Structures are given as C-alpha cells and as structure tokens.
Amino acid sequence: MIRGSLAHNVYMDFSVELSKAMSMGINPQSYASSYLSSWRARLEEGLISQDDYDLIEDIVDFRLRNAPRGPIKVEVKISSIDLGVSGIVDMIEDLEPVEVKLKVKPRLQDYVQLAWYAMLIEDSMKLKVDFGYIDLIPIMRIKVRISSRLRDLAIKLRNKAIKVLYGLEEPPRRIEKPFCKSCELNLEC
C-alpha cells in the first residue's frame, strides 16, 4: 500500500505540474528532466530507495507517453443525492474521469468504479461523459467507453450493496481468489 500511495501521489503531482508546464509552453521532456532531478537528489540523500526512484522514472515516462489533455483536477470529491453515491475521482482530465491503479491488469470493479465517476460527473456538471480512462501505471492507459451496459451493471451492484447494508440480503459468500493475498482489503473482505 505504501508503494501504491507513492505511485499515486507522484502520478497526480507530476500530471498537474506537467499540465501547467505545457500550458506555459515549456517542453514536456525538459520539465520531466527537472522533475526527475529533484527525485534523484532524494535518492542520493538516501531518502528514497533505488526501486522507488525507478518507479518514479517509469511513471514520468508513462505520463509523457500519455500527455495530459485539457484542464486537470485531482482528488475531486463528488456526490449525488439522486444517484445515492459519492466518491473521490482520482483525476478529471478534459472533463473525463481517470482512475489510477498500480497494477498490471484491470478488474471488473475498476470499470464499475469508472462508470460511477462518469455518472457522478454527468450529474454534477450536467454534461454527457462517454469515455473515461484506467491508467495502469506505469504500463498502459485503457480508454473505456461508458456504455449503457456498464452503467446498468454499476446501478445493479449499487442496489445489491444497499440491500446487503440494510440486511435485506445476505452478503455474497467470500471466494478466495489468487489475487486476494495481495489485496489491501483482504482482512476486511
């Protein structure tokens, strides 16, 4: 979780700062070099490990390959009484949600989470959101169409969760899967 937190924070910080630099006409590669030099100094002072520095370098490279589009907002708290849902969107980039994950492949819950963020943005900003992104840092960016099928699944799962919370249904039986051992929510599940 600590490594994931570092990756998430570096990704958000670099994205915002890179977007600002680009809007001022600063060359992205030049900005990235100066950004990495401050982390290199921390590495040389022993404040971060070589593994952490390598991850940061990979994140910067990933973000350069997937340059920010339009205005960026990070850690956006958003809620809807009508939808009965609230959350914190990792990033809104050009009015589309971006979910940031430090993993190699997405899971169904990542797509559902992204769909909720799109619906929350639509509800609060009164605009249509057709796409969102799952950024599997530092590997790839997945463009996700927020289809009616994905929206329906999100609503179905929300309704089931409400029934479980109010004791109207039993929670689903836990099924141990290979990725459960590395999941940060394993004990709570």
Side-chain angles (χ1 to χ4, degrees):
M1 284 181 72
I2 292 169
R3 190 164 172 79
S5 181
L6 169 70
H8 196 266
N9 291 337
V10 166
Y11 183 86
M12 296 303 175
D13 177 58
F14 183 70
S15 294
V16 168
E17 296 304 319
L18 178 62
S19 179
K20 286 180 192 174
M22 290 170 62
S23 72
M24 294 186 301
I26 298 171
N27 178 291
Q29 293 290 344
S30 297
Y31 178 74
S33 291
S34 89
Y35 184 85
L36 284 172
S37 70
S38 69
W39 283 103
R40 200 170 302 109
R42 293 178 196 171
L43 172 64
E44 290 165 2
E45 293 170 19
L47 299 175
I48 63 170
S49 69
Q50 183 65 53
D51 284 346
D52 288 343
Y53 180 77
D54 292 344
L55 175 62
I56 293 164
E57 233 179 8
D58 289 345
I59 290 168
V60 167
D61 181 57
F62 172 88
R63 199 55 174 144
L64 287 174
R65 289 190 323 263
N66 299 281
R69 302 167 300 102
I72 289 180
K73 293 180 183 175
V74 297
E75 302 293 330
V76 180
K77 292 180 183 176
I78 194 164
S79 64
S80 169
I81 293 172
D82 292 338
L83 296 172
V85 175
S86 64
I88 300 174
V89 184
D90 285 343
M91 182 181 299
I92 299 176
E93 184 177 295
D94 199 26
L95 300 176
E96 295 174 325
V98 178
E99 181 59 21
V100 180
K101 301 288 185 185
L102 181 65
K103 58 169 103 171
V104 294
K105 78 180 211 184
R107 297 196 185 109
L108 178 62
Q109 61 261 31
D110 301 325
Y111 290 95
V112 170
Q113 185 177 11
L114 189 67
W116 272 116
Y117 291 157
M119 291 188 287
L120 285 164
I121 291 167
E122 287 176 338
D123 186 67
S124 68
M125 297 181 185
K126 307 301 180 214
L127 56 92
K128 181 84 169 118
V129 177
D130 295 317
F131 293 95
Y133 298 88
I134 299 174
D135 283 357
L136 302 174
I137 55 175
I139 300 164
M140 76 174 107
R141 171 170 266 205
I142 301 170
K143 185 174 185 177
V144 178
R145 188 171 71 82
I146 310 299
S147 66
S148 57
R149 186 171 156 221
L150 183 55
R151 293 166 190 268
D152 292 345
L153 175 61
I155 291 168
K156 178 183 169 187
L157 292 172
R158 180 209 53 200
N159 293 344
K160 183 163 182 67
I162 289 170
K163 288 177 183 176
V164 169
L165 283 171
Y166 286 104
L168 302 172
E169 279 187 22
E170 288 293 314
R173 199 177 107 250
R174 178 183 167 144
I175 300 169
E176 189 77 22
K177 295 183 179 179
F179 57 80
C180 290
K181 291 180 183 116
S182 63
C183 178
E184 66 269 11
L185 299 175
N186 190 25
L187 295 175
E188 292 85 4
C189 183

